Amino acid sequence: WVPVVGLEIHAQISSNSKLFSGSQVQFAAPPNSLVSFFDASLPGTLPVLNRRCVEAAVMTGLALNCSINKKSLFDRKHYFYADLPAGYQITQQRVPIAVNGSLSYNLCVDNKMSQMVTKTVRIKQIQLEQDSGKSLHDDTRSQTLVDLNRAGRLGLFSYFSSPFCVVMEPDMCCGEEAAAAVRELQLILQTLGSSQAVMAEGQLRVDANVSVHHPGEPYGVRTEVKNINSIRFLAKAVDYEIQRQIEELENGGTILNETRAFDAKLGCTVPMRDKEGKQDYRFMPEPNLPPLILYDAKSLPANMNHQQVVNIDWIHERLPDLPSVKRAKLVERYGILPEHSFALLNEDGLTEFFENVVKQTQMKPKKVIGWILNVLLSYLKQHSLTVKESPVSSFILADLLNLLEKKEISSTAAKQVLAELWKGEGKTPLEIVKEKKLELIQDQKELDQICQAVIDGQENEVMAIKAGNLKVLNKLIGLVQRETQGRSNPVLVKQLLEKKLSE
Amino acid sequence: QVAAALKKGHVTPTELCQRCLALIKSTQFLNAYITVAEETALKQAEESEKRYKSGQPLGVLDGIPVAVKDNFNTAGIETTCASNMLKGYISPYNATVVQKLLDQGAVLLGKTNLDEFAMGSGSTDGVFGPVRNPWSYSRQYKEKSVRKPHSDSEESNWVITGGSSGGSAAAVSSFTCFAALGSDTGGSTRNPAAHCGVVGLKPTYGLISRHGLIPLVNSMDVPGILTRCVDDAAVVLGSLAGHDPKDSTTIQDNFKPFELPNLPDVSKLSIGIPKEYHAPGLSSEILALWSKAADLFKDAGAKVIEVSLPHTRYSIVCYHVLCTAEVASNMARFDGLEYGHRSDMNKSTESMYAATRREGFNDVVRGRILSGNYFLLKQNYENYFIKAQKVRRLIANDFLKVFGSGVDILLTPTTLSDAVPYMEFIKEDNRTRSAQDDILTQAANMAGLPAINVPTALSERGLPVGLQFIGRSFQEKQLLTVAKWFEKQVKFPMIQLEEVKRHNHDVFQHEKSASFS
């Protein structure tokens, strides 16, 4: 079986205004508090296009290697649904603002970060679109409460809400690929500033189109899976649906062209409403919005007010570095591994943190990265904190790493200090080191005495080592460590012991 | 004129307002008004008076009583579109044009009656009942009407106003206000203007904001202006026109209000007479008047030539397809959820929608919605909607060609006949009537051109007949100049209504058409 997965991603633009109507956008506001007259589809109101949304869509289109249509049109897509106050959605499905792009993303092979594979998914189009309001079905009273706040929010495919929708061709084959592609898109959107793209806050909504077929045969019937609230669930939902379809077909059943909702609790998909096959959306040009005309440097009329137009070339010049470029630069500049660069970019603010530490410490970036990714990051994850919320600042960490670099403390001690620092009590690393007496013993004579004492006390082990079993040396090192309460530099200790034992 | 009187203090805004309100009351049988906003109007008049007293009126419109068709949103005042669907609906905002009038100090007397959702050409199909043409009660009509041995001949003989802005036309015609807003999608301002003997201006599409006008056909609707003389129309136009950021279909260019020359000169003009407008059913009376009007221009030195707009005969059908398609779309929002009528049926969202829409809309509206949806179905879209758009382009090109060949203004009849009696009108259904009556006015909407009805003469039955001028896009100044000249030539008589005489005042008596400018 060959599974085929396509995605429709609706991104909410991080702008103050909803796509067409000038209302404020704010997550978790009480229902209907942010609705403007147009969003509630009060009669007589007209849509007005938001420039920022257009720019965001163009930026995203350029970042995804799309051709930008200098002229794109708006249509009405009609259907009745409680969360669609006007009875139609304004969309650019037929002649959208950007088409034919591509997105490259990376997958770990067998979950090993060290083996990454680059894949590409084609972007069919990017269209400006409204998003519907949220529909909260209250079954007990069989009423539908309509939350019109979400209505009008900028988004991609949706009505009113997202300013634009990115449609990905069915080039993906499993949940993992879908998740990776979305993750990369998320990073791109965040980098462009077009969207915060946080799925949990509804800023990014992903609908998956899934079908299966036998190799060489035409594509199977597809279903649309909605109600996916995180990237993790996206992978799950897609994989579940693929499995479900395969099982269904192998048991002689058929797949219906329908819309299914992902149930996060049960980890499965359930049928929703009938999908496009049966619906005639009665597309009609939106008469209240003239065609959207974009300009580039060549086509821009000389006397046109800069404020009135969107200039593609101008936007292109101002595109920030995309994630793939950023990652390459990090690898080149700091000599870290590619998978490190992925990890850095994946966590909001981590790259900056890393670079700040590197600036303030003598420790080589290659070593710093270990502290950042293995130690700091795991602390953050354990406590569900973002980098911004870290009680340990880059300055303090750099301080600590400097102590380590100067060999004033051991690696183990450093970790202990970090644990203390994490409490956020405002003490400096040096203060903690002194407090807990974690300094490495610098006195050569003292160290020498302790080593000698250990050797003297471990006759059997010494004999084993002299006989060639070098592993036992570690035991001696360990004993020295214990004796010094971890305040000895293991490398130094090893040298001393070896020297003594070879005498 | 009345503005001058206000300025000089011969009459106060409050007095003016009160007189109009009283006149509205005594002409209630006309059913021109759905809502009379007495309290707010008097308050506005008071404010205006203060301004005049301190010598700082906002402009010519300050203190002038106006009325607005009930498909324009008015904050705090019910907006019904003469439909059950919106009965009791109080909009939270003012349409841009309403706001502009209020900002100029105009006094809003109330909302006028119309065909439900502006669909119709008689102002007879609204839930508040039909509007009666004030001329039905004029001495001129009564003298000429055939005496029937029936006791209530007056009752059964009354004639329609035309539509769909009949209420506004009647309000202006009966002197209850000095100007009124209508809307024009296929002739809805010019048609009743012709039947009620007032000036009805349809501006170029994109000149005046539609924000707040509950749409019928978004690509053809415009706010219309009804006044008693052309100069007044120019003044109102000046206060309304201009780009509105809330309406993306308004043009960006700056609009400069203009004053019309007192002695317009038409000798350098070229007037076109489109032969296709000699439509079947055109009354011989109107034909004769049309001819006389052409001669008037000729005698004044203008070039009068016959022209052709060959696709005119397709315009009805084309209009029907495009209009119903947009109607179906625009009416989709009326589902009872957020505002307006909501049915008690609550088994499911869908059944609630269905019941609400059946209860809320009349036959005409429902019929158009069904047709429109049919034309928009995927399998029909190409054959109907797309084709109609192409035909629309051809119709618009007809005009471009004619105007491009040197013709400045087109002169045509506005209606096929004078106003028919209500009893006769309702014998045919709305769709048939609309198809017949719109034929002379609709093409201007298809092409987005400005057009104006100028009352010309009284028919044999003593009822008003008007003629229409169609101009080039955004050339309202030229259009109105020609209209003004024509108005001066024909000297259309003033309506002689008992009620108006009773509320008489010097101001009203001045000249045949008591204007405010």
Side-chain angles (χ1 to χ4, degrees), chain B residues 119 282 310 387 449:
Chain B
M119 298 188 207
L282 186 64
K387 280 239 169 76
L449 298 171

Side-chain angles (χ1 to χ4, degrees), chain B residues 395-470:
Chain B
I395 293 171
N397 283 345
D398 278 356
F399 285 100
L400 279 177
K401 228 185 273 176
V402 163
F403 285 128
S405 71
V407 170
D408 299 302
I409 302 277
L410 296 171
L411 167 62
T412 78
T414 313
T415 54
L416 295 173
S417 69
D418 57 3
V420 300
Y422 176 71
M423 300 308 284
E424 221 186 280
F425 184 78
I426 55 175
K427 284 191 193 147
E428 302 272 8
D429 67 64
N430 182 297
R431 176 145 145 50
T432 313
R433 284 294 179 197
S434 298
Q436 294 163 345
D437 301 332
D438 286 348
I439 187 142
L440 298 168
T441 48
Q442 211 195 62
N445 297 87
M446 300 269 245
L449 298 171
I452 185 170
N453 170 77
V454 182
T456 309
L458 292 182
S459 69
E460 267 177 24
R461 289 160 64 217
L463 294 172
V465 167
L467 289 177
Q468 169 176 241
F469 295 93
I470 305 177

Side-chain angles (χ1 to χ4, degrees), chain A residues 282 452-453:
Chain A
R282 290 167 279 126
Q452 192 58 52

Side-chain angles (χ1 to χ4, degrees), chain A residues 41 44 76 78 280 282 288, chain B residues 210 212 329-330 339 373 378:
Chain A
S41 79
R76 292 186 183 179
H78 299 86
D280 190 330
R282 290 167 279 126
N288 293 314
Chain B
R210 290 180 297 111
S329 178
N330 289 331
Y339 48 79
N373 277 324
K378 226 188 273 188

Side-chain angles (χ1 to χ4, degrees), chain A residues 266-455:
Chain A
L266 301 173
C268 65
T269 63
V270 292
M272 260 178 83
R273 59 174 192 265
D274 277 326
K275 208 195 179 268
E276 289 175 33
K278 297 203 180 136
Q279 273 262 41
D280 190 330
Y281 289 113
R282 290 167 279 126
F283 281 95
M284 183 184 97
E286 167 58 66
N288 293 314
L289 288 175
L292 176 60
I293 311 286
L294 303 174
Y295 297 91
D296 56 24
K298 260 189 283 179
S299 63
L300 189 63
N303 55 352
M304 197 154 253
N305 184 355
H306 170 78
Q307 290 289 65
Q308 301 277 30
V309 302
V310 173
N311 183 339
I312 303 171
D313 288 335
W314 190 85
I315 294 177
H316 203 224
E317 284 162 24
R318 281 158 187 76
L319 280 182
D321 276 347
L322 293 181
S324 49
V325 173
K326 275 192 193 167
R327 285 188 287 251
K329 281 189 179 170
L330 284 172
V331 169
E332 204 196 300
R333 182 187 290 179
Y334 299 109
I336 56 177
L337 296 176
E339 61 251 35
H340 294 156
S341 68
F342 271 92
L344 280 180
L345 252 65
N346 264 351
E347 192 65 31
D348 196 23
L350 195 57
T351 308
E352 208 180 10
F353 194 97
F354 167 69
E355 291 188 297
N356 280 338
V357 172
V358 167
K359 257 187 258 175
Q360 297 171 85
T361 179
Q362 295 101 331
M363 187 183 275
K364 292 249 161 62
K366 278 194 195 170
K367 275 176 85 175
V368 174
I369 193 80
W371 281 91
I372 298 284
L373 294 181
N374 300 334
V375 187
L376 179 76
L377 195 57
S378 57
Y379 263 112
L380 289 173
K381 293 294 180 201
Q382 259 176 47
H383 295 90
S384 300
L385 294 173
T386 63
V387 173
K388 285 196 186 81
E389 295 166 337
S390 167
V392 177
S393 71
S394 58
F395 174 73
I396 292 179
L397 184 59
D399 220 11
L400 177 61
L401 294 182
N402 280 339
L403 288 177
L404 183 56
E405 196 65 9
K406 284 190 257 177
K407 298 209 197 326
E408 286 182 34
I409 53 174
S410 71
S411 176
T412 327
K415 292 207 176 110
Q416 280 178 270
V417 174
L418 191 55
E420 263 313 297
L421 288 171
W422 201 261
K423 293 185 193 155
E425 287 164 1
K427 298 189 206 142
T428 68
L430 199 54
E431 282 168 1
I432 297 176
V433 166
K434 289 228 163 79
E435 220 181 82
K436 300 220 164 190
K437 297 205 181 36
L438 294 170
E439 315 92 320
L440 285 177
I441 299 175
Q442 303 292 358
D443 188 345
Q444 193 78 348
K445 259 171 69 185
E446 197 187 331
L447 210 53
D448 197 277
Q449 276 175 348
I450 296 173
C451 287
Q452 192 58 52
V454 165
I455 287 177

Side-chain angles (χ1 to χ4, degrees), chain A residues 207-265:
Chain A
D207 298 333
N209 294 314
V210 180
S211 75
V212 297
H213 65 277
H214 284 301
E217 284 179 16
Y219 281 13
V221 175
R222 70 170 187 189
T223 61
E224 185 182 20
V225 181
K226 287 180 174 291
N227 196 38
I228 300 169
N229 294 326
S230 75
I231 295 193
R232 204 165 53 91
F233 285 150
L234 170 64
K236 268 194 175 170
V238 167
D239 288 335
Y240 173 86
E241 182 59 18
I242 292 173
Q243 250 338 96
R244 185 191 75 85
Q245 290 194 10
I246 291 177
E247 274 169 27
E248 184 70 34
L249 290 172
E250 285 188 343
N251 287 332
T254 52
I255 305 296
L256 291 172
N257 178 214
E258 59 177 355
T259 305
R260 298 177 73 88
F262 178 65
D263 186 321
K265 282 203 201 106

Side-chain angles (χ1 to χ4, degrees), chain A residues 163-205:
Chain A
F164 55 95
C165 173
V166 176
V167 182
M168 291 186 182
E169 299 276 24
D171 294 341
M172 295 159 282
C173 70
C174 60
E176 196 189 357
E177 288 192 359
V182 172
R183 185 75 194 100
E184 188 67 11
L185 178 65
Q186 215 173 21
L187 284 176
I188 293 178
L189 292 175
Q190 284 165 356
T191 303
L192 292 177
S194 20
S195 172
Q196 305 291 43
V198 176
M199 276 185 81
E201 287 182 17
Q203 293 165 342
L204 197 71
R205 242 182 52 228

